[in-house]
Amino acid sequence: MKKTFLTAEWRKLIMVNYAVDAQVLQKYLPPHTQLDLWNGTCYVSLIGFMFLNTKIKGIKIPFHTDFEEVNLRFYVKYLEEGVYKRGVVFIKEIVPKQAITWVANTLYKEHYVTMPMQHSWVLREDTLAIEYRWKKQGWYSLGVSAQATPLPIAPGSEEEFITEHYWGFTRRDNHTTSAYEVAHPRWEIYPVQEYHLSVDFQALYGPDFDFLNTATPQSVFLAEGSEILIKEGGVLRR
């Protein structure tokens, strides 16, 4: 049984989901995985959320327990002994802490970058206003206004597909992929009333994702999140 590497809370996750041509993602696909589709649709998601109460092997690292993250990800699966492990692949993960970026990129071959970041959570009567901001030259932002009462995620729904991927896969080289498991309970979501997005996808993620600047999201969710744990990873190779 894999040991727990990291525990934290992931809270107030804004999920902006786009339907994309699967060919766009083929070059980013880690070895031994395949794209995971929902009702024949291939997705990428821009996610903004808070890391809270973060511990590495049970230890809190000073000044690195609470921080924002914004990532662009897509969805894959890996067949092991006749069962699919469904997970995500990150194009890029933005955090405000340089030490996190160094450790993730150096030791785990992840795709982190460090930028100044801010967030705001505001409860107005029966409405939640959640926003995440990050700076590369100018400031970018991702925000929603949502009903303040969370609802369960319906089985078989798009919300379930987006939130219920419990593995992370990272290309190590052309033949090898790292895999780690993320454990958390089933989440609830807040119905989104409005959203706003100020992002230059080409500037942040390269020309492959320039088309997202003019694309309309397929959906926008706000998930409450939960406590999570990340188990030490393994390696996929043949």
Side-chain angles (χ1 to χ4, degrees):
M1 183 176 295
K2 298 292 185 181
K3 295 181 179 179
T4 297
F5 168 71
L6 180 147
T7 61
E9 296 177 40
W10 291 349
R11 295 292 182 181
K12 302 296 189 294
L13 297 95
I14 301 175
M15 301 180 160
V16 182
N17 311 298
Y18 295 89
V20 302
D21 184 341
Q23 291 301 314
V24 173
L25 301 175
Q26 289 298 326
K27 65 190 277 188
Y28 299 96
L29 197 62
H32 319 302
T33 67
Q34 56 186 287
L35 291 172
D36 194 10
L37 310 182
W38 185 74
N39 289 349
T41 300
C42 183
Y43 284 84
V44 296
S45 299
L46 183 69
I47 313 289
F49 66 103
M50 286 297 295
F51 256 98
L52 300 175
N53 300 319
T54 305
K55 298 178 183 178
I56 305 295
K57 296 187 176 180
I59 300 172
K60 288 188 174 183
I61 308 301
F63 311 109
H64 291 77
T65 57
D66 300 343
F67 54 90
E68 301 89 352
E69 178 173 318
V70 170
N71 64 61
L72 186 69
R73 73 185 196 183
F74 65 96
Y75 303 90
V76 301
K77 56 188 179 180
Y78 167 68
L79 185 62
E80 183 177 74
E81 298 180 351
V83 177
Y84 277 111
K85 293 181 175 180
R86 300 173 63 235
V88 302
V89 176
F90 295 103
I91 302 297
K92 186 176 291 182
E93 297 170 82
I94 302 168
V95 293
K97 305 290 187 179
Q98 183 62 47
I100 296 170
T101 297
W102 186 88
V103 170
N105 292 350
T106 303
L107 301 183
Y108 300 104
K109 304 301 182 183
E110 293 284 359
H111 307 288
Y112 277 71
V113 296
T114 307
M115 298 181 190
M117 301 186 77
Q118 301 172 348
H119 76 281
S120 63
W121 293 358
V122 179
L123 175 61
R124 301 188 182 113
E125 296 182 356
D126 58 352
T127 301
L128 281 173
I130 308 297
E131 184 180 57
Y132 300 101
R133 298 177 291 275
W134 62 105
K135 186 178 183 181
K136 182 181 181 181
Q137 298 177 334
W139 282 94
Y140 300 114
S141 64
L142 167 62
V144 297
S145 175
Q147 296 177 22
T149 303
L151 301 175
I153 291 176
S157 65
E158 184 190 28
E159 292 93 336
E160 181 184 65
F161 173 81
I162 296 296
T163 59
E164 300 279 305
H165 280 77
Y166 290 102
W167 290 83
F169 297 104
T170 304
R171 176 196 295 270
R172 303 284 295 196
D173 55 41
N174 289 336
H175 306 285
T176 309
T177 295
S178 294
Y180 58 88
E181 185 177 1
V182 181
H184 64 73
R186 192 177 179 88
W187 289 343
E188 295 183 317
I189 58 170
Y190 301 94
V192 170
Q193 299 165 327
E194 297 179 341
Y195 75 92
H196 68 266
L197 182 63
S198 176
V199 177
D200 185 335
F201 284 93
Q202 179 172 350
L204 287 168
Y205 305 109
D208 288 341
F209 298 97
D210 177 56
F211 70 96
L212 293 178
N213 283 332
T214 55
T216 299
Q218 192 90 344
S219 57
V220 180
F221 309 146
L222 175 63
E224 171 54 39
S226 65
E227 294 181 349
I228 63 98
L229 60 86
I230 297 178
K231 298 181 181 180
E232 291 183 344
V235 176
L236 315 180
R237 59 164 63 95
R238 289 194 181 97

